[in-house]
Amino acid sequence: MRKFNFSAGPAALPEAVLLQAQRELLDWGGRGCSVMEVSHRSPEFTEVAETAEQDLRDLLAIPQNYRVLFLHGGATAQFSAVPWNLLGGGDRVADYIRSGHWADKAIVEARRYGQVNVVASSEDRGFTYVPGPTSWRQSENAAYLHYTPNETIGGVEFDYVPAVTCPLVADMSSNILSRPVAVEKFGMIYAGAQKNIGPSGLAVAIVRDDLLDRALPGIPRSLNWKVAADAGSMDNTPPTFAWYLSALVFKWIKGQGGVEAMAEQSLRKSSLLCGFIDRSDFYSSPVERGSRSRMNVPFTLADAALDHLFLQESKAAGLLNLKGHRSVGGMRASLYNAVPVEAVEALLVFMAEFEQRYA
């Protein structure tokens, strides 16, 4: 019997997708072999790749002047790829919003290749809020502005898209496909697959055509978006199984009603959990209201000495991976698209019973 998985990533996948992959693992489409055992250049896998791209285009209404890339290395590789690909157009200054752990990682990498201007930071209150645009200090001629719409560890999420004149770059690893996105407002969007798309090891990138010729000299071939775009993401052997599973997830999201349905469900799940926490004297949220993530909900217990017992008993109750990140502590429930409302309802029952016993 499957349990409810609140892992921050690699995260839960839709059960229907896992069951289909299980059925096809040894005999994919009647071919007598696995999808992992066929050439990525075969007509059969080319169809998977093309269908995956079209389904993602449909889900996010991606304009035709954007390329969709399926890349190696997850989002972390894109921390380097972004400056490599965008700082060669002249001005080597990049603007970054510092909103937490993953924004910090991106900033460290960008400083290897050019000057970074931190437009705004929420460090002053422990990265517990989204910095508002009134406090920004933007560069006059930035090559791009990078931000992290959802911080998985801190549990903060932007409720707006920054308005900038330079290309806007977003690391949407933990909230992509959870609500509609106006892609035309962005120069580039990237996302590690292992939260709302598929298994780890794959990153999806959406790049506007005019940004494919701005790379720094000497850019590694494996990080060059133009090389990937020209080769249909197959300059070398791609992570085919991750691509295949992602294609199944895109179909599943379509079947659920698309990103509009995911947005409605995300709001319902996070509202249930955050509302319960706010009504409790035993649990509390470290994130300021108005900045709370719909995807990742951190919370603490009134007595941290009970943390281990909470994790022990929640696991026994079939509620998995609720431990907070090691840098933050406490608990964290990640509510990605594949986590059903029933999982949150079960978590609330457990939290209420735990509070009654130990408060």
Side-chain angles (χ1 to χ4, degrees), residues 65-79:
N65 63 321
Y66 285 75
R67 302 295 185 93
V68 176
L69 310 176
F70 293 86
L71 306 170
H72 292 273
T76 298
Q78 296 307 302
F79 294 163

Side-chain angles (χ1 to χ4, degrees), residues 75-132:
T76 298
Q78 296 307 302
F79 294 163
S80 298
V82 168
W84 266 116
N85 281 277
L86 296 180
L87 286 177
D91 199 331
R92 294 187 64 179
V93 177
D95 283 353
Y96 277 73
I97 297 176
R98 188 168 177 242
S99 56
H101 179 89
W102 295 111
D104 266 351
K105 293 278 190 181
I107 288 169
V108 168
E109 284 304 302
R111 282 180 171 148
R112 297 175 185 270
Y113 312 110
Q115 181 182 344
V116 168
N117 170 46
V118 176
V119 168
S121 173
S122 55
E123 184 185 18
D124 60 328
R125 298 203 294 272
F127 299 113
T128 58
Y129 71 100
V130 169

